[in-house]
Amino acid sequence: MHGAGEETRLRVPVGDDAHRWVTRASCRRVLFVVHNVTSATRLLDVLPLFRDDLRVQLLVTCTGSSPFLAGVPELLASVGLPVLPWEQAKETPVDLAVSASYGGELELIRGDLAVLSHGVGYNKRLATPDTGHRTPDTGHRTPDTGHRTPAAAAPPSAPAPAPVFGLSPDWLLHDGRPLAAATVLSHPEQLGRLRAACPEAAGTAVLAGDPCYDRILAALPHRDRFRRALGVAAGQRLVVVNSTWSPGSLFGDDDSEGDLLPSLLPRLAAELPADEYRTAAVLHPNIWHGHGPGQIRAWLDRARHAGLALVDPLEDWRQALIAADCVIGDHGSVTYYAAAIGRPVLLGAFPGGALDPDSPVAALGRAAPRLRPHDGLRAQVDRAVDRHDPGRFRAQAEHVSSAPGRSAALLRRAFYGLIGIPEPAGRPALLDPLRLPSYAPAERTAPVRVLSRLTDASGPPEIAVVRCAADDDGPGRGYGYGSGYGSGSGPDSGDDIGWDAHTSVHEDTPDPGRLRIADVIVRYAAADDPRVGPPAAWTAEVLGRHPGCALAAYVTGPGRCTVRTRGGDLLRLTARPGPDGRADLCDPAAHASALHAWLAGGKSVEEAVASGITVVTGRARHGVDVERAD
């Protein structure tokens, strides 16, 4: 969508002859103005405030002024509202226009305009307003940033800082008058900075809280459900890597901060044992749509094969924050929201010069600990979690919203006041609850190095298992296990004495040559999958094809797998449920590796069948029943 005049103009429900075709002809018009996918997410937050009101016709348009237009047509189509080409939208009278950005020719909208922040307040400095053609010379100038050529006799001076996006006259005024009828703020601290930066617009300020934050707060009781949706097992820690956009972000390659990402993600996979940690990435929509989702998946291919989850940047990022045990982030709003709900935060990048020093996000940068790129990652994550004070970022939380839980009521009141009709009678203003994401456990297709140890050879079968990504140089090489493996959770200080090693490989590994050296080969599929199942057939086929493999494991669901040993035993492994009766979400491939270690240690199948086995992953113990399946 480019806002081009040649786009097909709507005839219904608006247009020159719309009165001939519409069914409800007396509706007030509310226009959602989309700049890019990022701003659209905030508009989707507030869209439910107009539901069930037959007096209101909702419309949507895209200004076409953003560099990040990819993904917008698909998003607008999914919303299902009439989409006006921008040229038609500028000509169509509306009762209210709602935008979450100052981009584009907003001054040409024929109706009252309300502007919301699309992040956690207004924090970033941007050199050039991305306003399209608001005034003859603003599209290609940098206001007061020092790029003008000084007079020949004038001494050089330091460039003035760029204006704060959303709080500067460069965005807020048109021809000296406020652009918006309502400038929506979430906290009085923003109002104080607005008055200082642009007093002409202060009279338009509306304090109405933060709808995104309110949706997060309302969903906090569902933390365990969100964790289970990501396949986080008992005893596991979820580490979320978050990045805003720009070269100075965690995902960026700004030389001044150093390019951390190429080493960070592989090291997370190598240093954080797979059954003790789950990793996920939340990337800004401008990263996704600026570089392309396919390119992002290609850049993160190795990390994804090692178990990294890529979280939907539109729908599921808030759920991931709620589920997280630790967030490695930067100066973006998502990291700030994480801190505000009490999550431990490590800053992997934080370009302070890009922020208003008086903003809450800049204050977070002064308060939160930094990630030390060259130190062990596991020790830093564990220290951040174990030593975290839930009240550490209380000041930051207080600056997200001055009306937590009340944004729906405040925003609806402001919107209907601009429309000029009463709010719907007898219906509370409500936001949509966060959805429960689909179940998406880690499925590692990269080779896995497994260290195992029989912890009590005289008693019932109990096997400690540590699984990490295998090095490209070969299984069991290259990665030290000394980063925080104390407390009896695995090999300590890189010393593998007393631990046996084997390699587990997914059948769909990107490098099929690894199957020749695999001790355990794994497949994830439904038991009745006609392409590869049933498990008995697949396990026999795999052992016949790969003579070096000692055990084949067919994972059929949470806590369940069927294995066949080289000795011909077909066994079904079933994890015992937790105390609450729910399935144990430890990856069944770990159970298969534990059984392999048990048998490789000279123990018998009969002992495992008689009493089951206990698989120890870090501090968690998983009871697994073993029964013959043939």
Side-chain angles (χ1 to χ4, degrees):
M1 166 150 327
H2 302 286
E6 63 271 12
E7 289 185 77
T8 303
R9 297 169 69 91
L10 291 189
R11 295 180 62 188
V12 182
V14 296
D16 293 338
D17 58 349
H19 63 278
R20 298 177 56 192
W21 314 111
V22 294
T23 300
R24 298 190 64 83
S26 302
C27 288
R28 303 298 180 100
R29 296 170 178 173
V30 174
L31 176 67
F32 287 92
V33 183
V34 171
H35 188 56
N36 50 32
V37 171
T38 306
S39 68
T41 59
R42 183 53 52 91
L43 299 181
L44 294 178
D45 282 337
V46 303
L47 187 147
L49 300 180
F50 298 99
R51 286 181 182 161
D52 292 320
D53 193 343
L54 295 174
R55 303 169 299 167
V56 174
Q57 169 69 59
L58 301 179
L59 308 165
V60 64
T61 188
C62 177
T63 63
S65 61
S66 172
F68 302 101
L69 290 175
V72 172
E74 295 82 0
L75 174 60
L76 297 188
S78 70
V79 174
L81 296 177
V83 180
L84 274 69
W86 179 235
E87 293 302 317
Q88 183 180 8
K90 292 186 295 185
E91 303 168 2
T92 302
V94 296
D95 297 282
L96 172 66
V98 184
S99 176
S101 173
Y102 285 93
E105 303 166 287
L106 299 183
E107 74 280 0
L108 299 182
I109 290 175
R110 298 180 61 186
D112 284 336
L113 174 67
V115 180
L116 296 77
S117 166
H118 58 258
V120 57
Y122 297 97
N123 306 281
K124 293 183 180 179
R125 294 187 179 277
L126 294 181
T128 304
D130 183 14
T131 55
H133 306 283
R134 183 168 301 160
T135 59
D137 60 351
T138 56
H140 302 282
R141 70 178 176 92
T142 302
D144 301 324
T145 56
H147 294 287
R148 288 178 256 174
T149 303
S157 59
V164 178
F165 176 75
L167 296 181
S168 162
D170 302 274
W171 285 275
L172 293 167
L173 302 181
H174 174 67
D175 290 340
R177 295 187 299 272
L179 179 69
T183 303
V184 179
L185 308 176
S186 63
H187 193 278
E189 71 84 18
Q190 297 161 24
L191 179 57
R193 289 188 289 137
L194 173 63
R195 285 173 173 156
C198 186
E200 301 91 335
T204 68
V206 176
L207 287 170
D210 184 328
C212 176
Y213 187 54
D214 284 355
R215 295 181 72 194
I216 293 174
L217 294 179
L220 289 177
H222 303 306
R223 169 177 162 84
D224 287 343
R225 295 180 186 177
F226 298 152
R227 290 172 65 82
R228 293 179 70 82
L230 282 165
V232 180
Q236 271 191 316
R237 285 177 167 173
L238 173 61
V239 179
V240 172
V241 179
N242 161 247
S243 179
T244 188
W245 68 284
S246 81
S249 69
L250 180 58
F251 202 86
D253 58 1
D254 188 338
D255 290 339
S256 64
E257 287 285 327
D259 194 355
L260 174 63
L261 199 72
S263 64
L264 175 63
L265 293 178
R267 286 182 59 206
L268 285 172
E271 296 181 29
L272 302 185
D275 301 304
E276 300 170 53
Y277 299 84
R278 176 82 163 103
T279 56
V282 173
L283 304 180
H284 194 284
N286 286 357
I287 298 177
W288 276 94
H289 298 294
H291 294 282
Q295 179 64 76
I296 299 304
R297 287 189 286 268
W299 277 337
L300 301 184
D301 184 69
R302 181 183 178 192
R304 292 190 301 117
H305 284 297
L308 177 77
L310 284 181
V311 177
D312 185 322
L314 182 63
E315 291 285 351
D316 296 338
W317 64 268
R318 286 165 284 216
Q319 294 88 321
L321 287 192
I322 293 170
D325 292 291
C326 181
V327 174
I328 299 175
D330 55 19
H331 62 301
S333 293
V334 173
T335 303
Y336 193 94
Y337 281 127
I341 61 172
R343 299 297 174 262
V345 166
L346 289 171
L347 298 177
F350 205 87
L355 300 169
D356 179 352
D358 295 326
S359 69
V361 172
L364 175 65
R366 296 187 288 268
R370 302 296 179 108
L371 185 74
R372 298 185 301 278
H374 304 296
D375 292 351
L377 296 178
R378 180 177 183 178
Q380 293 185 72
V381 168
D382 285 350
R383 186 181 303 112
V385 176
D386 293 337
R387 299 182 182 179
H388 180 62
D389 175 4
R392 177 172 192 169
F393 303 121
R394 184 175 293 112
Q396 283 71 37
E398 292 174 351
H399 281 94
V400 176
S401 171
S402 59
R406 298 173 52 216
S407 66
L410 295 172
L411 284 168
R412 193 175 75 171
R413 182 187 308 162
F415 290 157
Y416 275 82
L418 292 172
I419 296 172
I421 59 176
E423 296 181 63
R427 292 198 297 273
L430 299 173
L431 305 173
D432 278 348
L434 297 184
R435 73 176 187 180
L436 181 61
S438 300
Y439 179 57
E443 183 175 329
R444 294 168 181 83
T445 53
V448 175
R449 185 199 187 199
V450 184
L451 300 181
S452 62
R453 182 175 66 186
L454 277 60
T455 61
D456 188 352
S458 62
E462 182 172 304
I463 309 100
V465 171
V466 178
R467 300 190 306 149
C468 289
D471 189 356
D472 287 342
D473 294 332
R477 302 178 188 274
Y479 288 127
Y481 287 82
S483 301
Y485 269 87
S487 306
S489 62
D492 191 22
S493 302
D495 184 1
D496 293 355
I497 296 175
W499 293 78
D500 296 313
H502 69 266
T503 302
S504 175
V505 182
H506 194 292
E507 189 183 29
D508 290 338
T509 177
D511 181 3
R514 291 296 189 97
L515 294 170
R516 294 193 300 270
I517 59 171
D519 301 288
V520 176
I521 295 178
V522 181
R523 157 71 65 184
Y524 295 77
D528 59 353
D529 188 330
R531 300 168 299 171
V532 292
W538 178 86
T539 53
E541 175 188 328
V542 166
L543 291 181
R545 183 182 300 132
H546 302 286
C549 175
L551 184 144
Y554 188 115
V555 177
T556 56
R560 303 188 305 275
C561 68
T562 299
V563 305
R564 187 183 294 274
T565 69
R566 179 56 64 181
D569 295 290
L570 186 66
L571 304 168
R572 186 176 297 112
L573 309 185
T574 307
R576 297 164 191 156
D580 59 0
R582 291 193 170 109
D584 185 337
L585 297 183
C586 180
D587 185 354
H591 306 161
S593 279
L595 181 66
H596 166 71
W598 175 258
L599 299 177
K603 303 299 181 178
S604 69
V605 169
E606 285 71 22
E607 290 177 89
V609 171
S611 58
I613 61 176
T614 298
V615 181
V616 180
T617 59
R619 296 176 176 85
R621 299 166 61 86
H622 312 273
V624 180
D625 293 324
V626 182
E627 59 180 329
R628 293 191 177 276
D630 50 358

